[in-house]
Amino acid sequence: MKEFMMVFRNAGMGDFKPTPEQIQTVEKQWADWFGGIAAQGKYAGGSRPAPEGKTVKPGNVVTDGPYAEVKEILMGFTLINADSLEDAVEIAKGCPILLVGGNVEVRPVVGMNS
Amino acid sequence: MMTGNELIPHLFRSEYSKITSVLARSFGFEHIEIAEDIASDTFLLAAETWGIKGVPENPVAWLYAAAKNRARDHLKRNNIFSKKVTTALQQSNTEVQEAEIDLSEKNITDSQLQMMFAICSPIIAIEAQIGLSLRILCGFGIEEIADAFLSNKETINKRLFRAKEKLRNEKVKIAFPSPSEINKRLETVLTTLYLLFNEGYYSLSQNITLRKDLCLEAMRLNYLLIENATTNKPSVNALLALMCFHASRFEARINLNGDQILYEDQDTSLWDTELIKQGEFYLNKGAEGNELTKYHLEAGIAWWHTSKSDTKEKWESILQLYNKLLITEYSPIAALNRTYALSKANGKQVAIIEAEKLNLTTSHLYYALLGYLYTDVDNDKAVGNLQTALNLAKSEADKITIAKSVNKLLNDNKTV
């Protein structure tokens, strides 16, 4: 098993305010997808950043949030153990972000020193 | 009133561990065997004396007094010896100290808790932790431990001897861990209690009384942790809640012949509602604070199983708890149960796709699950999977259960 990182990106939601039912549906899709990965013993950790935040640029330029100039924002990342890049890609195909026009970047994880 | 013959085994179970723990704490873990010997001798003396003179008015007080006397004699002898040796070697004049053996209720509880931390140590293998807990904390005989592990006396004796030696060599102390360490050490203790309970609940041993005793002892030790303010943590309450929910089905899950009755076929009037209520109480206690451990998740799943209703809400909740549980800690059993819950919540088609990814091809339970999922979807595949399950099943009980499902499917197919 090798470790892979999946990075989820999507366009920001703008002014769209989902209903509680919509939120619940999306949460269930993600929970079931993660649960399915974990049931194969392939889940290896992950995190979801909060919407607020700062971006630091050269010359000590600090801007609010990551959204200003980007079409896509980082929604979160997950680490998985998979047999191969192909296997990891197969898993990524079930990601709920694909249902709403987002994308998943799948990258093998190499150590900091390699 | 009980005669000495009935009373002694009963008292042995409850008092042996108390006496051993208190003595071992005052002698130090390196002398654990002396503590065990004195405790055993005390019961031997009780059997002899009570047989002749009758059972004393307060048998427990009698045992404590006798244990104290023997401990004092031992210390005196030991002091004379070590004093002689030290004088000869160093010409020093160490004061002979007569340690008082304190068998008060508080010291007994403290000693047992501290002994629990000493035994449940990652230094020794988990089977050894459970074995030593059963021997020292629960007063089980070697034969009973062997029976519970489906092993023999020699193997268990060797295992316990080696474990004690290892703990001695590592200079394990019978003491409370420091506040900074307590959570980590408590985790090991809870794992041992969890497995001790499971050993009783899922054991293949035919001795039903013994299996029940293992579960009750795990619950008693867990309760000791709840009674003490430093160890009364949410995870400890959650684990006791889990045990209460499972234990509530003791009477319903095994029939008079000792055969297992599947959850679906159980008589719910035999479920112990009092234990379910207690479980709910501890689960609420465990919900105080932010801690969410695997025991919380498992207790939540067990709570849903205390009602036999077949609602969408129930299976959706169980599925989500399994999703979280698997993310916290993978286990093949949880993966299979999660897939069953998935079929109940999201339908069999979805569950079949997920089940095929699990690849637990050495487990009869995996094929039994596939057999269930394919039933009424593709009955040929269902029969094929169940037959594979039958070939892989090891226990007689599992074989009978699976064979029943195969026959049912084949008969149903004929009538169509």
Side-chain angles (χ1 to χ4, degrees):
Chain A
M1 291 270 214
K2 294 188 197 85
E3 199 170 55
F4 294 87
M5 182 188 246
M6 293 200 218
V7 181
F8 316 116
R9 290 197 183 81
N10 198 2
M13 289 207 281
D15 292 331
F16 176 68
K17 289 267 183 295
T19 65
E21 288 77 29
Q22 282 168 322
I23 292 175
Q24 217 185 346
T25 309
V26 171
E27 274 177 358
K28 176 173 162 56
Q29 287 169 348
W30 281 91
D32 286 352
W33 183 59
F34 282 134
I37 297 170
Q40 300 172 55
K42 290 178 175 172
Y43 185 83
S47 220
R48 187 169 69 172
E52 64 274 6
K54 304 273 186 193
T55 301
V56 182
K57 290 174 181 169
N60 288 336
V61 177
V62 179
T63 58
D64 269 342
Y67 351 92
E69 305 117 62
V70 283
K71 285 197 203 90
E72 284 181 329
I73 60 168
L74 177 72
M75 302 298 284
F77 72 90
T78 292
L79 295 169
I80 62 161
N81 292 313
D83 302 327
S84 59
L85 182 60
E86 290 68 35
D87 182 29
V89 165
E90 258 335 287
I91 291 172
K93 284 179 184 169
C95 180
I97 208 157
L98 303 173
L99 301 173
V100 290
N103 63 64
V104 185
E105 189 178 321
V106 185
R107 308 269 295 269
V109 173
V110 290
M112 275 299 206
N113 298 322
S114 16
Chain B
M1 188 168 158
M2 277 197 248
T3 66
N5 283 346
E6 290 162 359
L7 191 60
I8 288 175
H10 172 77
L11 284 174
F12 190 90
R13 188 54 74 71
S14 60
E15 303 305 324
Y16 171 86
S17 77
K18 294 181 185 171
I19 295 172
T20 307
S21 299
V22 167
L23 295 183
R25 182 160 85 138
S26 80
F27 302 164
F29 192 89
E30 59 273 30
H31 302 303
I32 178 93
E33 264 127 11
I34 295 169
E36 287 181 282
D37 285 347
I38 292 176
S40 300
D41 280 355
T42 304
F43 281 92
L44 210 60
L45 185 67
E48 286 166 11
T49 318
W50 300 0
I52 299 162
K53 296 184 183 167
V55 177
E57 207 165 297
N58 188 340
V60 173
W62 190 99
L63 287 171
Y64 290 177
K68 269 189 203 178
N69 280 334
R70 308 215 131 202
R72 220 174 279 141
D73 286 349
H74 165 78
L75 285 174
K76 220 183 268 167
R77 263 201 313 268
N78 212 35
N79 267 335
I80 292 165
F81 173 75
S82 56
K83 199 186 166 194
K84 270 189 190 158
V85 174
T86 34
T87 351
L89 287 177
Q90 306 167 343
Q91 298 290 318
S92 74
N93 194 8
T94 40
E95 190 71 27
V96 178
Q97 282 189 349
E98 200 149 296
E100 188 49 45
I101 305 295
D102 174 6
L103 278 155
S104 66
E105 209 181 306
K106 167 137 186 19
N107 195 49
I108 286 174
T109 319
D110 283 357
S111 302
Q112 283 188 300
L113 279 173
Q114 294 175 15
M115 183 61 94
M116 219 190 288
F117 278 104
I119 292 174
C120 301
S121 158
I123 296 170
I124 53 173
I126 189 76
E127 301 83 41
Q129 293 177 35
I130 297 174
L132 275 187
S133 298
L134 285 173
R135 180 70 193 139
I136 296 172
L137 294 169
C138 312
F140 276 51
I142 299 296
E143 208 153 317
E144 290 170 299
I145 301 174
D147 191 358
F149 280 113
L150 300 176
S151 180
N152 56 56
K153 276 173 84 172
E154 289 71 44
T155 310
I156 299 294
N157 261 327
K158 256 186 233 158
R159 183 186 292 171
L160 298 192
F161 179 79
R162 278 200 211 108
K164 278 186 265 188
E165 204 172 43
K166 188 96 208 275
L167 290 173
R168 234 189 322 253
N169 290 344
E170 298 284 336
K171 302 209 171 8
V172 162
K173 293 263 174 301
I174 303 176
F176 275 115
S178 66
S180 62
E181 265 190 336
I182 195 127
N183 278 334
K184 208 169 153 22
R185 295 293 306 279
L186 198 53
E187 235 174 79
T188 318
V189 172
L190 292 185
T191 306
T192 309
L193 297 188
Y194 174 81
L195 292 173
L196 174 57
F197 185 91
N198 285 355
E199 195 62 47
Y201 206 71
Y202 300 108
S203 165
L204 296 173
S205 167
Q206 289 300 309
N207 188 340
I208 298 165
T209 322
L210 172 65
R211 291 178 48 185
K212 210 165 160 184
D213 275 352
L214 291 186
C215 294
L216 293 177
E217 282 298 319
M219 292 170 84
R220 182 180 68 83
L221 295 176
N222 196 336
Y223 188 69
L224 280 182
L225 293 170
I226 285 181
E227 276 187 309
N228 185 290
T230 22
T231 50
N232 187 14
K233 306 266 183 189
S235 54
V236 179
N237 284 271
L239 179 56
L240 189 56
L242 170 64
M243 292 182 188
C244 288
F245 294 142
H246 279 327
S248 73
R249 290 196 291 279
F250 267 151
E251 304 303 328
R253 65 196 289 271
I254 293 169
N255 69 14
L256 293 172
N257 303 325
D259 300 328
Q260 183 117 354
I261 303 173
L262 290 179
Y263 175 78
E264 291 75 28
D265 306 328
Q266 286 171 13
D267 175 0
T268 47
S269 69
L270 292 176
W271 290 358
D272 187 334
T273 47
E274 199 45 51
L275 266 176
I276 295 175
K277 264 188 228 147
Q278 280 188 34
E280 285 169 346
F281 172 82
Y282 291 116
L283 190 55
N284 282 327
K285 280 264 166 216
E288 291 166 9
N290 305 322
E291 214 184 330
L292 185 70
T293 62
K294 70 167 188 161
Y295 304 122
H296 287 89
L297 298 167
E298 286 197 44
I301 293 164
W303 179 79
W304 278 104
H305 281 92
T306 60
S307 116
K308 232 181 181 179
S309 65
D310 202 26
T311 61
K312 181 107 183 126
E313 187 203 6
K314 172 179 172 172
W315 290 109
E316 181 55 35
S317 306
I318 291 176
L319 171 63
Q320 293 314 328
L321 287 164
Y322 271 122
N323 283 341
K324 289 200 183 89
L325 181 63
L326 281 157
I327 284 172
T328 313
E329 191 182 289
Y330 169 81
S331 77
I333 281 290
L336 294 169
N337 287 337
R338 183 249 177 201
T339 312
Y340 178 79
L342 185 73
S343 79
K344 289 288 208 173
N346 295 10
K348 281 189 170 181
Q349 298 289 356
V350 180
I352 287 172
I353 297 170
E354 291 287 294
E356 303 279 6
K357 293 182 197 161
L358 298 182
N359 254 330
L360 297 166
T361 47
T362 53
S363 157
H364 66 283
L365 295 172
Y366 174 62
Y367 291 101
L369 174 72
L370 282 172
Y372 161 79
L373 293 175
Y374 274 117
T375 301
D376 298 333
V377 175
D378 183 337
N379 279 350
D380 287 342
K381 277 196 176 173
V383 171
N385 278 301
L386 286 173
Q387 267 154 356
T388 312
L390 196 55
N391 290 336
L392 287 171
K394 285 185 188 77
S395 86
E396 217 37 56
D398 285 339
K399 282 182 192 162
I400 293 169
T401 314
I402 298 165
K404 264 188 208 162
S405 310
V406 176
N407 287 336
K408 189 173 180 302
L409 260 178
L410 291 174
N411 286 333
D412 287 358
N413 272 5
K414 270 185 210 145
T415 52
V416 173

